[in-house]
Amino acid sequence: MRQFFRIALRFWSGKTRLRAWALTIAVLVFIATQTATAVGINSWNRFFFDALEKRDIGAVWSVIAWLPALVVAFSLSLSALVVSRMLLQARWREDLTSRLAGWWIADQRYYRLGFLTKRQTAPEYRIADDVRLAIEPLVEFAIGLISAAVTAATFATILWQVAGSARFMLGGTQVVIPSYMAIAAIAYAVVASLAAYLTGRPLVARIAAKNEAEALFRAEMTRLRENAESIALIKGDADERASVGENYGRVLAAWLRVIRQQGVIALVLNTNGALFPVVPLLLIAPKYLSGEVTLGAVMQVVAAFSAVQAALIWFVDNFVRLAEWFASVTRVDELVEELEALDVGTIMEGETQISFGESDDGAIHIKELSLAHSNGRVVIADATVVIELGEKVLIVGESGSGKSTLIRSLAGLWPWGSGSIQVPRGKRIAFVPQKPYLPLGDFRAVLLYPDSEIPVSEETIVAALRRCGLAYMAKRLNEEDNWDRVLSGGERQRVAFARLLIQNPDIIIMDEATSALDEDSQNSLLGLFEGELAHATVISVGHRPGLEDFHDRKITLEKRLAGAHLSSRRIGKSLWRLFRSRQPANEDEVA
């Protein structure tokens, strides 16, 4: 748990420390207040039953008169404790969630993390669910432990004073056990706690396995929803049903292991529950029958014994929750370790890192670049190339030659390898993937993503839509919709080109950015690189016919056993293709 607490305890030392300490002090004050009122109610019980035993009506009503004040004080202190506890939980979770989510999202770790571990870690569920399950019970456990310690010490003193010592004859010798009720409460709690620990110890690993299976099952269902159209088109329902059933089978098996172990623990807890109210009565009964204590003292001792017992068997009552909490903490801890491993680049033993820098001449310099997969297989070996300012370069090669990996390395998403990559200083770079990301929000925000705050006129946006064959979407700029599902693959790629016109970047890096378009639409959009975006440096991956006519140079990746080799040659443009590329697409046909 060291990694978890190292980052979680920053709540009390970082920017939130004033709020954290204020809430902590408030919780401690209300714990003390609640304990004090509990002692008051315990004393009230003695006075009340003593008055009943004496049949003193005046004393009875006098004691009853104090009850409303005690009840109000107890209720207010307990309510204040609940509110302060919940505020502490919410604020602590907010701080830890912000730290982990920020860490995960920054520097594309959410993407690169998938290459670090071979198993599905489901980091989104660990941040959303396990952080909550690690923080909320922890606050309750801390309050419970503090309350238990204060309660045990306070009511043990009452037992010491009221119950006194036990005296009995053993072989003609009088044996005296001082404060026997307090000793009995401690001994009983030790036996019960030890029994709960021995029977419940295996539960921690079983709950951790159950939570892992639940997270993977949710991830499987999310994958099904995100790929619903593709699955429906190829009629993969039966296969997906079998896959979901198999995944839930693992969840069920994990749950059954937890249930079996909880059944054993329940046997211990229920036995303790049956003995709990009886033991103090049996222990104090001889003194009452001998006349050494009054009925009020009996009730006070029983209540005090129960309070001490409840405090000391806190571990027994909370063992199952402790196991669940520990499992969640372990999952958060694993995420922290994986993020740290990602930062120090420990994906492969002995690996070197790609050096990223800036160039002064406006060109992109790739020097002795070697890229490898996580299994150590070299994809590209010792590649050296210079892409000049404003040059349009097409990267081709057979499947598996490393084209997309090269694009990822230029984006800084694939730092595992060796060599260096230098990009021009102060230049804006835009990446256009095969499946552009469309965020939630109105269509205007989709077009301006990832910088929705940049000042862009309505005319500029509409002109970009018209040029990219999306004029019919101009009337929906202020509409909110799930654009990721509403727009087709071709429309999404047109949106990506409209973004380029609006944002006007200096360097454009594309990966199969026109794969969903027909040839005429592709020619029209690639014509932007001869017109409105002629100043931009373009690096694109593609294999469709006609792409060469919109580029100045072609780099071919040739697969070899030791890694793909780069070869480069200049290419020319067909005048007919160039003329066609400058003509807008037929918007009626597009619509």
Side-chain angles (χ1 to χ4, degrees):
M1 294 187 292
R2 62 187 182 279
Q3 302 285 8
F4 169 77
F5 280 109
R6 182 172 55 80
I7 187 171
L9 293 180
R10 292 178 189 173
F11 181 54
W12 280 268
S13 60
K15 296 179 180 179
T16 57
R17 60 184 179 275
L18 293 179
R19 172 185 290 168
W21 283 110
L23 290 172
T24 303
I25 292 171
V27 167
L28 294 176
V29 168
F30 293 129
I31 288 176
T33 305
Q34 190 266 338
T35 304
T37 55
V39 171
I41 291 175
N42 179 264
S43 299
W44 182 90
N45 273 277
R46 177 174 183 175
F47 297 145
F48 179 74
F49 283 100
D50 279 344
L52 285 180
E53 187 179 29
K54 296 175 182 178
R55 292 178 174 81
D56 187 343
I57 298 177
V60 170
W61 284 110
S62 177
V63 173
I64 291 176
W66 284 96
L67 186 58
L70 286 172
V71 171
V72 170
F74 183 80
S75 299
L76 288 177
S77 61
L78 193 57
S79 299
L81 178 59
V82 169
V83 171
S84 58
R85 183 254 299 167
M86 294 180 70
L87 284 173
L88 181 59
Q89 289 171 324
R91 293 302 187 182
W92 193 4
R93 180 189 174 190
E94 175 189 29
D95 179 71
L96 183 56
T97 299
S98 176
R99 291 177 188 276
L100 284 178
W103 192 4
W104 176 53
I105 294 173
D107 297 326
Q108 294 89 38
R109 292 184 186 89
Y110 55 88
Y111 173 80
R112 293 189 284 135
L113 192 62
F115 299 100
L116 176 66
T117 178
K118 295 181 180 180
R119 60 191 181 89
Q120 298 183 49
T121 58
E124 65 275 21
Y125 295 115
R126 298 189 183 217
I127 294 173
D129 290 341
D130 288 311
V131 166
R132 175 180 61 82
L133 295 173
I135 291 298
E136 292 181 356
L138 180 56
V139 173
E140 295 177 9
F141 294 155
I143 292 174
L145 277 174
I146 294 172
S147 298
V150 173
T151 300
T154 303
F155 285 94
T157 303
I158 294 174
L159 287 177
W160 191 302
Q161 294 173 348
V162 177
S165 302
R167 294 177 175 85
F168 57 92
M169 299 301 295
L170 183 64
T173 304
Q174 187 182 45
V175 178
V176 179
I177 302 177
S179 189
Y180 77 104
M181 290 293 288
I183 294 173
I186 294 172
Y188 182 89
V190 169
V191 172
S193 298
L194 185 60
Y197 173 75
L198 293 177
T199 57
R201 186 178 180 182
L203 188 63
V204 174
R206 296 183 182 185
I207 289 180
K210 182 263 296 182
N211 290 349
E212 183 74 16
E214 292 276 16
L216 293 179
F217 180 63
R218 289 193 299 268
E220 174 74 6
M221 300 295 282
T222 301
R223 183 196 62 79
L224 174 61
R225 176 177 54 81
E226 290 177 346
N227 296 276
E229 183 178 359
S230 299
I231 295 170
L233 288 172
I234 62 175
K235 302 187 184 304
D237 305 41
D239 186 69
E240 291 302 321
R241 188 185 303 111
S243 177
V244 169
E246 181 182 349
N247 273 281
Y248 184 72
R250 287 191 285 267
V251 173
L252 181 60
W255 259 111
L256 291 176
R257 288 191 291 271
V258 171
I259 291 171
R260 283 194 293 268
Q261 196 61 40
Q262 284 196 339
V264 177
I265 297 174
L267 182 63
V268 174
L269 297 182
N270 292 332
T271 302
N272 174 68
L275 293 175
F276 188 81
V278 178
V279 172
L281 285 173
L282 295 177
L283 291 174
I284 197 64
K287 283 207 164 193
Y288 177 72
L289 295 174
S290 66
E292 292 183 54
V293 295
T294 64
L295 178 61
V298 170
M299 301 309 297
Q300 186 178 22
V301 166
V302 170
F305 186 94
S306 298
V308 172
Q309 181 66 14
L312 294 179
I313 64 170
W314 177 89
F315 175 78
V316 177
D317 292 338
N318 290 276
F319 190 85
V320 174
R321 293 192 66 209
L322 278 168
E324 294 176 343
W325 167 77
F326 185 78
S328 294
V329 169
T330 301
R331 285 172 54 77
V332 175
D333 187 71
E334 289 172 354
L335 176 61
V336 172
E337 289 180 347
E338 289 169 359
L339 289 172
E340 288 185 336
L342 186 65
D343 288 344
V344 298
T346 55
I347 187 170
M348 294 182 293
E349 292 185 5
E351 74 169 359
T352 56
Q353 291 284 305
I354 298 174
S355 172
F356 293 91
E358 296 180 337
S359 64
D360 297 321
D361 58 358
I364 298 174
H365 296 266
I366 300 174
K367 299 180 181 179
E368 299 179 351
L369 180 67
S370 294
L371 302 176
H373 282 166
S374 57
N375 59 9
R377 183 177 71 85
V378 177
V379 182
I380 296 176
D382 298 323
T384 298
V385 65
V386 177
I387 300 173
E388 301 293 343
L389 178 66
E391 192 174 12
K392 313 296 187 288
V393 176
L394 174 65
I395 300 176
V396 299
E398 60 182 293
S399 178
S401 60
K403 303 185 297 297
S404 295
T405 305
L406 178 60
I407 293 296
R408 294 185 185 114
S409 67
L410 290 172
L413 300 178
W414 196 280
W416 306 298
S418 62
S420 66
I421 297 176
Q422 295 179 346
V423 297
R425 179 183 293 110
K427 300 296 184 180
R428 292 174 297 168
I429 303 178
F431 293 89
V432 185
Q434 182 177 5
K435 187 178 179 181
Y437 172 66
L438 306 183
L440 298 175
D442 58 42
F443 192 62
R444 185 190 307 274
V446 169
L447 292 169
L448 299 181
Y449 185 84
D451 189 0
S452 59
E453 302 300 324
I454 58 174
V456 179
S457 67
E458 188 93 0
E459 292 75 13
T460 300
I461 295 176
V462 172
L465 291 174
R466 184 178 297 111
R467 175 62 182 86
C468 295
L470 292 171
Y472 57 92
M473 292 297 295
K475 60 184 178 182
R476 305 187 65 182
L477 284 176
N478 297 318
E479 289 186 26
E480 293 190 11
D481 209 331
N482 191 346
W483 302 109
D484 192 54
R485 294 187 177 185
V486 170
L487 301 181
S488 66
E491 288 174 317
R492 291 171 62 155
Q493 291 187 342
R494 290 176 183 276
V495 167
F497 278 89
R499 284 175 178 166
L500 296 179
L501 282 177
I502 294 170
Q503 298 170 8
N504 196 27
D506 302 295
I507 300 173
I508 301 171
I509 301 177
M510 305 190 301
D511 186 6
E512 302 283 2
T514 60
S515 59
L517 298 170
D518 59 82
E519 187 173 356
D520 287 341
S521 297
Q522 172 184 272
N523 294 340
S524 175
L525 293 178
L526 292 181
L528 294 171
F529 301 140
E530 300 293 339
E532 295 91 331
L533 298 173
H535 67 283
T537 302
V538 177
I539 303 173
S540 63
V541 168
H543 62 276
R544 295 184 63 184
L547 290 177
E548 291 187 9
D549 294 294
F550 300 93
H551 296 83
D552 306 314
R553 183 158 47 123
K554 181 167 73 172
I555 295 177
T556 303
L557 292 178
E558 301 172 353
K559 291 181 67 174
R560 297 180 181 179
L561 291 178
H565 172 73
L566 269 66
S567 63
S568 174
R569 70 175 179 85
R570 306 293 300 182
I571 54 180
K573 301 184 183 66
S574 163
L575 292 178
W576 183 82
R577 288 281 191 183
L578 182 58
F579 172 77
R580 286 280 297 162
S581 70
R582 292 182 178 179
Q583 307 307 308
N586 187 324
E587 294 178 5
D588 293 332
E589 294 180 3
V590 170

